[in-house]
PDB file of all heavy atoms in Angstrom:
ATOM      1  N   GLY A   1     217.378  66.109 -39.747  1.00  0.00           N
ATOM      2  CA  GLY A   1     218.592  66.896 -39.848  1.00  0.00           C
ATOM      3  C   GLY A   1     219.769  66.075 -40.289  1.00  0.00           C
ATOM      4  O   GLY A   1     219.619  64.946 -40.767  1.00  0.00           O
ATOM      5  N   LEU A   2     220.936  66.656 -40.120  1.00  0.00           N
ATOM      6  CA  LEU A   2     222.195  66.009 -40.483  1.00  0.00           C
ATOM      7  C   LEU A   2     222.872  65.502 -39.216  1.00  0.00           C
ATOM      8  O   LEU A   2     223.004  66.246 -38.237  1.00  0.00           O
ATOM      9  CB  LEU A   2     223.100  67.011 -41.201  1.00  0.00           C
ATOM     10  CG  LEU A   2     224.529  66.570 -41.505  1.00  0.00           C
ATOM     11  CD1 LEU A   2     224.543  65.400 -42.482  1.00  0.00           C
ATOM     12  CD2 LEU A   2     225.340  67.746 -42.048  1.00  0.00           C
ATOM     13  N   VAL A   3     223.307  64.261 -39.255  1.00  0.00           N
ATOM     14  CA  VAL A   3     223.962  63.662 -38.096  1.00  0.00           C
ATOM     15  C   VAL A   3     225.079  62.751 -38.581  1.00  0.00           C
ATOM     16  O   VAL A   3     224.997  62.183 -39.678  1.00  0.00           O
ATOM     17  CB  VAL A   3     222.932  62.897 -37.239  1.00  0.00           C
ATOM     18  CG1 VAL A   3     222.353  61.714 -37.988  1.00  0.00           C
ATOM     19  CG2 VAL A   3     223.517  62.460 -35.911  1.00  0.00           C
ATOM     20  N   GLN A   4     226.100  62.614 -37.764  1.00  0.00           N
ATOM     21  CA  GLN A   4     227.204  61.717 -38.110  1.00  0.00           C
ATOM     22  C   GLN A   4     226.819  60.268 -37.817  1.00  0.00           C
ATOM     23  O   GLN A   4     225.958  60.010 -36.963  1.00  0.00           O
ATOM     24  CB  GLN A   4     228.447  62.103 -37.316  1.00  0.00           C
ATOM     25  CG  GLN A   4     229.026  63.447 -37.706  1.00  0.00           C
ATOM     26  CD  GLN A   4     230.344  63.714 -37.006  1.00  0.00           C
ATOM     27  OE1 GLN A   4     230.671  63.096 -36.004  1.00  0.00           O
ATOM     28  NE2 GLN A   4     231.109  64.647 -37.545  1.00  0.00           N
ATOM     29  N   PRO A   5     227.463  59.325 -38.491  1.00  0.00           N
ATOM     30  CA  PRO A   5     227.207  57.909 -38.172  1.00  0.00           C
ATOM     31  C   PRO A   5     227.412  57.633 -36.690  1.00  0.00           C
ATOM     32  O   PRO A   5     228.365  58.130 -36.082  1.00  0.00           O
ATOM     33  CB  PRO A   5     228.246  57.173 -39.024  1.00  0.00           C
ATOM     34  CG  PRO A   5     228.468  58.079 -40.190  1.00  0.00           C
ATOM     35  CD  PRO A   5     228.390  59.478 -39.628  1.00  0.00           C
ATOM     36  N   GLY A   6     226.494  56.861 -36.129  1.00  0.00           N
ATOM     37  CA  GLY A   6     226.519  56.593 -34.697  1.00  0.00           C
ATOM     38  C   GLY A   6     225.729  57.576 -33.873  1.00  0.00           C
ATOM     39  O   GLY A   6     225.518  57.351 -32.673  1.00  0.00           O
ATOM     40  N   GLY A   7     225.279  58.644 -34.488  1.00  0.00           N
ATOM     41  CA  GLY A   7     224.539  59.666 -33.778  1.00  0.00           C
ATOM     42  C   GLY A   7     223.065  59.331 -33.614  1.00  0.00           C
ATOM     43  O   GLY A   7     222.594  58.256 -34.029  1.00  0.00           O
ATOM     44  N   SER A   8     222.333  60.273 -33.023  1.00  0.00           N
ATOM     45  CA  SER A   8     220.916  60.065 -32.716  1.00  0.00           C
ATOM     46  C   SER A   8     220.092  61.255 -33.168  1.00  0.00           C
ATOM     47  O   SER A   8     220.573  62.392 -33.225  1.00  0.00           O
ATOM     48  CB  SER A   8     220.729  59.881 -31.207  1.00  0.00           C
ATOM     49  OG  SER A   8     221.404  58.750 -30.725  1.00  0.00           O
ATOM     50  N   LEU A   9     218.847  60.964 -33.471  1.00  0.00           N
ATOM     51  CA  LEU A   9     217.841  61.988 -33.751  1.00  0.00           C
ATOM     52  C   LEU A   9     216.510  61.519 -33.187  1.00  0.00           C
ATOM     53  O   LEU A   9     216.256  60.306 -33.078  1.00  0.00           O
ATOM     54  CB  LEU A   9     217.683  62.237 -35.253  1.00  0.00           C
ATOM     55  CG  LEU A   9     218.776  63.007 -35.975  1.00  0.00           C
ATOM     56  CD1 LEU A   9     218.523  62.980 -37.487  1.00  0.00           C
ATOM     57  CD2 LEU A   9     218.873  64.434 -35.484  1.00  0.00           C
ATOM     58  N   ASN A  10     215.650  62.468 -32.879  1.00  0.00           N
ATOM     59  CA  ASN A  10     214.309  62.135 -32.406  1.00  0.00           C
ATOM     60  C   ASN A  10     213.297  62.865 -33.284  1.00  0.00           C
ATOM     61  O   ASN A  10     213.294  64.097 -33.325  1.00  0.00           O
ATOM     62  CB  ASN A  10     214.124  62.549 -30.946  1.00  0.00           C
ATOM     63  CG  ASN A  10     212.822  62.050 -30.373  1.00  0.00           C
ATOM     64  OD1 ASN A  10     212.404  60.934 -30.656  1.00  0.00           O
ATOM     65  ND2 ASN A  10     212.166  62.863 -29.593  1.00  0.00           N
ATOM     66  N   LEU A  11     212.496  62.104 -33.987  1.00  0.00           N
ATOM     67  CA  LEU A  11     211.461  62.680 -34.846  1.00  0.00           C
ATOM     68  C   LEU A  11     210.150  62.795 -34.072  1.00  0.00           C
ATOM     69  O   LEU A  11     209.805  61.905 -33.274  1.00  0.00           O
ATOM     70  CB  LEU A  11     211.233  61.818 -36.082  1.00  0.00           C
ATOM     71  CG  LEU A  11     212.458  61.511 -36.943  1.00  0.00           C
ATOM     72  CD1 LEU A  11     212.024  60.720 -38.186  1.00  0.00           C
ATOM     73  CD2 LEU A  11     213.187  62.764 -37.337  1.00  0.00           C
ATOM     74  N   SER A  12     209.439  63.879 -34.316  1.00  0.00           N
ATOM     75  CA  SER A  12     208.138  64.098 -33.687  1.00  0.00           C
ATOM     76  C   SER A  12     207.085  64.338 -34.744  1.00  0.00           C
ATOM     77  O   SER A  12     207.372  64.933 -35.790  1.00  0.00           O
ATOM     78  CB  SER A  12     208.188  65.318 -32.760  1.00  0.00           C
ATOM     79  OG  SER A  12     209.094  65.135 -31.720  1.00  0.00           O
ATOM     80  N   CYS A  13     205.872  63.909 -34.449  1.00  0.00           N
ATOM     81  CA  CYS A  13     204.748  64.117 -35.369  1.00  0.00           C
ATOM     82  C   CYS A  13     203.485  64.303 -34.542  1.00  0.00           C
ATOM     83  O   CYS A  13     203.146  63.442 -33.726  1.00  0.00           O
ATOM     84  CB  CYS A  13     204.607  62.924 -36.305  1.00  0.00           C
ATOM     85  SG  CYS A  13     203.132  62.977 -37.364  1.00  0.00           S
ATOM     86  N   VAL A  14     202.833  65.430 -34.751  1.00  0.00           N
ATOM     87  CA  VAL A  14     201.554  65.689 -34.100  1.00  0.00           C
ATOM     88  C   VAL A  14     200.474  65.719 -35.173  1.00  0.00           C
ATOM     89  O   VAL A  14     200.608  66.422 -36.183  1.00  0.00           O
ATOM     90  CB  VAL A  14     201.576  67.020 -33.329  1.00  0.00           C
ATOM     91  CG1 VAL A  14     200.217  67.293 -32.709  1.00  0.00           C
ATOM     92  CG2 VAL A  14     202.649  66.983 -32.258  1.00  0.00           C
ATOM     93  N   VAL A  15     199.416  64.965 -34.930  1.00  0.00           N
ATOM     94  CA  VAL A  15     198.327  64.834 -35.900  1.00  0.00           C
ATOM     95  C   VAL A  15     197.096  65.560 -35.366  1.00  0.00           C
ATOM     96  O   VAL A  15     196.774  65.456 -34.172  1.00  0.00           O
ATOM     97  CB  VAL A  15     198.006  63.348 -36.149  1.00  0.00           C
ATOM     98  CG1 VAL A  15     196.888  63.214 -37.179  1.00  0.00           C
ATOM     99  CG2 VAL A  15     199.245  62.613 -36.629  1.00  0.00           C
ATOM    100  N   SER A  16     196.417  66.274 -36.225  1.00  0.00           N
ATOM    101  CA  SER A  16     195.213  66.999 -35.818  1.00  0.00           C
ATOM    102  C   SER A  16     194.187  66.960 -36.943  1.00  0.00           C
ATOM    103  O   SER A  16     194.441  66.438 -38.025  1.00  0.00           O
ATOM    104  CB  SER A  16     195.562  68.440 -35.452  1.00  0.00           C
ATOM    105  OG  SER A  16     196.097  69.122 -36.568  1.00  0.00           O
ATOM    106  N   GLY A  17     193.028  67.530 -36.657  1.00  0.00           N
ATOM    107  CA  GLY A  17     191.969  67.563 -37.664  1.00  0.00           C
ATOM    108  C   GLY A  17     190.994  66.417 -37.491  1.00  0.00           C
ATOM    109  O   GLY A  17     190.632  66.059 -36.370  1.00  0.00           O
ATOM    110  N   ASP A  18     190.608  65.801 -38.571  1.00  0.00           N
ATOM    111  CA  ASP A  18     189.631  64.707 -38.577  1.00  0.00           C
ATOM    112  C   ASP A  18     190.328  63.396 -38.209  1.00  0.00           C
ATOM    113  O   ASP A  18     190.674  62.598 -39.073  1.00  0.00           O
ATOM    114  CB  ASP A  18     188.976  64.602 -39.950  1.00  0.00           C
ATOM    115  CG  ASP A  18     187.961  63.485 -40.013  1.00  0.00           C
ATOM    116  OD1 ASP A  18     187.524  63.003 -38.943  1.00  0.00           O
ATOM    117  OD2 ASP A  18     187.607  63.068 -41.129  1.00  0.00           O
ATOM    118  N   ILE A  19     190.574  63.192 -36.925  1.00  0.00           N
ATOM    119  CA  ILE A  19     191.370  62.043 -36.490  1.00  0.00           C
ATOM    120  C   ILE A  19     190.513  60.927 -35.909  1.00  0.00           C
ATOM    121  O   ILE A  19     191.046  59.917 -35.450  1.00  0.00           O
ATOM    122  CB  ILE A  19     192.443  62.455 -35.476  1.00  0.00           C
ATOM    123  CG1 ILE A  19     191.775  63.073 -34.238  1.00  0.00           C
ATOM    124  CG2 ILE A  19     193.437  63.418 -36.105  1.00  0.00           C
ATOM    125  CD1 ILE A  19     192.759  63.339 -33.105  1.00  0.00           C
ATOM    126  N   PHE A  20     189.195  61.079 -35.960  1.00  0.00           N
ATOM    127  CA  PHE A  20     188.334  60.023 -35.430  1.00  0.00           C
ATOM    128  C   PHE A  20     188.564  58.740 -36.222  1.00  0.00           C
ATOM    129  O   PHE A  20     188.573  58.745 -37.446  1.00  0.00           O
ATOM    130  CB  PHE A  20     186.865  60.440 -35.525  1.00  0.00           C
ATOM    131  CG  PHE A  20     185.920  59.384 -35.021  1.00  0.00           C
ATOM    132  CD1 PHE A  20     185.724  59.218 -33.656  1.00  0.00           C
ATOM    133  CD2 PHE A  20     185.259  58.533 -35.892  1.00  0.00           C
ATOM    134  CE1 PHE A  20     184.864  58.243 -33.177  1.00  0.00           C
ATOM    135  CE2 PHE A  20     184.404  57.548 -35.429  1.00  0.00           C
ATOM    136  CZ  PHE A  20     184.202  57.416 -34.074  1.00  0.00           C
ATOM    137  N   GLY A  21     188.755  57.641 -35.499  1.00  0.00           N
ATOM    138  CA  GLY A  21     188.917  56.357 -36.164  1.00  0.00           C
ATOM    139  C   GLY A  21     190.328  56.012 -36.590  1.00  0.00           C
ATOM    140  O   GLY A  21     190.556  54.951 -37.191  1.00  0.00           O
ATOM    141  N   ILE A  22     191.286  56.881 -36.287  1.00  0.00           N
ATOM    142  CA  ILE A  22     192.683  56.571 -36.610  1.00  0.00           C
ATOM    143  C   ILE A  22     193.121  55.365 -35.778  1.00  0.00           C
ATOM    144  O   ILE A  22     193.043  55.401 -34.557  1.00  0.00           O
ATOM    145  CB  ILE A  22     193.601  57.755 -36.338  1.00  0.00           C
ATOM    146  CG1 ILE A  22     193.260  58.921 -37.279  1.00  0.00           C
ATOM    147  CG2 ILE A  22     195.075  57.364 -36.487  1.00  0.00           C
ATOM    148  CD1 ILE A  22     193.540  58.655 -38.739  1.00  0.00           C
ATOM    149  N   GLY A  23     193.569  54.300 -36.433  1.00  0.00           N
ATOM    150  CA  GLY A  23     193.905  53.071 -35.726  1.00  0.00           C
ATOM    151  C   GLY A  23     195.387  52.800 -35.610  1.00  0.00           C
ATOM    152  O   GLY A  23     195.819  52.025 -34.764  1.00  0.00           O
ATOM    153  N   ALA A  24     196.166  53.409 -36.471  1.00  0.00           N
ATOM    154  CA  ALA A  24     197.604  53.177 -36.434  1.00  0.00           C
ATOM    155  C   ALA A  24     198.321  54.462 -36.833  1.00  0.00           C
ATOM    156  O   ALA A  24     197.805  55.256 -37.628  1.00  0.00           O
ATOM    157  CB  ALA A  24     198.008  52.056 -37.388  1.00  0.00           C
ATOM    158  N   MET A  25     199.482  54.647 -36.236  1.00  0.00           N
ATOM    159  CA  MET A  25     200.328  55.773 -36.599  1.00  0.00           C
ATOM    160  C   MET A  25     201.762  55.288 -36.630  1.00  0.00           C
ATOM    161  O   MET A  25     202.113  54.313 -35.948  1.00  0.00           O
ATOM    162  CB  MET A  25     200.194  56.915 -35.584  1.00  0.00           C
ATOM    163  CG  MET A  25     198.839  57.573 -35.580  1.00  0.00           C
ATOM    164  SD  MET A  25     198.714  58.861 -34.313  1.00  0.00           S
ATOM    165  CE  MET A  25     199.969  60.018 -34.857  1.00  0.00           C
ATOM    166  N   GLY A  26     202.579  55.962 -37.383  1.00  0.00           N
ATOM    167  CA  GLY A  26     203.969  55.541 -37.413  1.00  0.00           C
ATOM    168  C   GLY A  26     204.765  56.306 -38.430  1.00  0.00           C
ATOM    169  O   GLY A  26     204.414  57.432 -38.804  1.00  0.00           O
ATOM    170  N   TRP A  27     205.833  55.663 -38.890  1.00  0.00           N
ATOM    171  CA  TRP A  27     206.792  56.305 -39.783  1.00  0.00           C
ATOM    172  C   TRP A  27     207.168  55.384 -40.937  1.00  0.00           C
ATOM    173  O   TRP A  27     207.428  54.194 -40.726  1.00  0.00           O
ATOM    174  CB  TRP A  27     208.066  56.663 -39.014  1.00  0.00           C
ATOM    175  CG  TRP A  27     207.826  57.635 -37.916  1.00  0.00           C
ATOM    176  CD1 TRP A  27     207.476  57.358 -36.623  1.00  0.00           C
ATOM    177  CD2 TRP A  27     207.895  59.060 -37.998  1.00  0.00           C
ATOM    178  NE1 TRP A  27     207.328  58.519 -35.910  1.00  0.00           N
ATOM    179  CE2 TRP A  27     207.591  59.582 -36.737  1.00  0.00           C
ATOM    180  CE3 TRP A  27     208.220  59.953 -39.030  1.00  0.00           C
ATOM    181  CZ2 TRP A  27     207.581  60.945 -36.465  1.00  0.00           C
ATOM    182  CZ3 TRP A  27     208.209  61.301 -38.763  1.00  0.00           C
ATOM    183  CH2 TRP A  27     207.892  61.803 -37.496  1.00  0.00           C
ATOM    184  N   TYR A  28     207.194  55.952 -42.112  1.00  0.00           N
ATOM    185  CA  TYR A  28     207.789  55.345 -43.288  1.00  0.00           C
ATOM    186  C   TYR A  28     209.014  56.190 -43.664  1.00  0.00           C
ATOM    187  O   TYR A  28     209.173  57.308 -43.196  1.00  0.00           O
ATOM    188  CB  TYR A  28     206.817  55.360 -44.468  1.00  0.00           C
ATOM    189  CG  TYR A  28     205.828  54.227 -44.506  1.00  0.00           C
ATOM    190  CD1 TYR A  28     204.779  54.159 -43.588  1.00  0.00           C
ATOM    191  CD2 TYR A  28     205.908  53.237 -45.482  1.00  0.00           C
ATOM    192  CE1 TYR A  28     203.850  53.133 -43.642  1.00  0.00           C
ATOM    193  CE2 TYR A  28     204.984  52.205 -45.547  1.00  0.00           C
ATOM    194  CZ  TYR A  28     203.953  52.169 -44.620  1.00  0.00           C
ATOM    195  OH  TYR A  28     203.030  51.151 -44.676  1.00  0.00           O
ATOM    196  N   ARG A  29     209.836  55.630 -44.526  1.00  0.00           N
ATOM    197  CA  ARG A  29     210.942  56.408 -45.077  1.00  0.00           C
ATOM    198  C   ARG A  29     211.143  56.057 -46.543  1.00  0.00           C
ATOM    199  O   ARG A  29     210.783  54.966 -46.990  1.00  0.00           O
ATOM    200  CB  ARG A  29     212.240  56.186 -44.302  1.00  0.00           C
ATOM    201  CG  ARG A  29     212.828  54.789 -44.427  1.00  0.00           C
ATOM    202  CD  ARG A  29     214.044  54.650 -43.519  1.00  0.00           C
ATOM    203  NE  ARG A  29     214.627  53.312 -43.609  1.00  0.00           N
ATOM    204  CZ  ARG A  29     215.613  52.884 -42.821  1.00  0.00           C
ATOM    205  NH1 ARG A  29     216.135  53.693 -41.888  1.00  0.00           N
ATOM    206  NH2 ARG A  29     216.085  51.665 -42.958  1.00  0.00           N
ATOM    207  N   GLN A  30     211.727  57.007 -47.257  1.00  0.00           N
ATOM    208  CA  GLN A  30     212.011  56.798 -48.672  1.00  0.00           C
ATOM    209  C   GLN A  30     213.367  57.393 -48.999  1.00  0.00           C
ATOM    210  O   GLN A  30     213.571  58.607 -48.873  1.00  0.00           O
ATOM    211  CB  GLN A  30     210.930  57.414 -49.552  1.00  0.00           C
ATOM    212  CG  GLN A  30     211.066  57.081 -51.026  1.00  0.00           C
ATOM    213  CD  GLN A  30     209.829  57.427 -51.826  1.00  0.00           C
ATOM    214  OE1 GLN A  30     208.996  58.205 -51.396  1.00  0.00           O
ATOM    215  NE2 GLN A  30     209.702  56.822 -52.997  1.00  0.00           N
TER     216      GLN A  30
END
């Protein structure tokens, strides 16, 4: 979303499906 400088946000991500063997999870940005 939109936030002012100094503000906070919390991102969430739920993964499902063929998740067997998933070794790492995280966030990239562009």
Side-chain angles (χ1 to χ4, degrees):
L2 173 64
V3 65
Q4 293 187 341
S8 298
L9 286 172
N10 188 39
L11 305 184
S12 298
C13 173
V14 178
V15 181
S16 62
D18 180 17
I19 60 172
F20 179 79
I22 295 294
M25 293 177 62
W27 298 88
Y28 276 71
R29 67 185 180 187
Q30 188 167 19

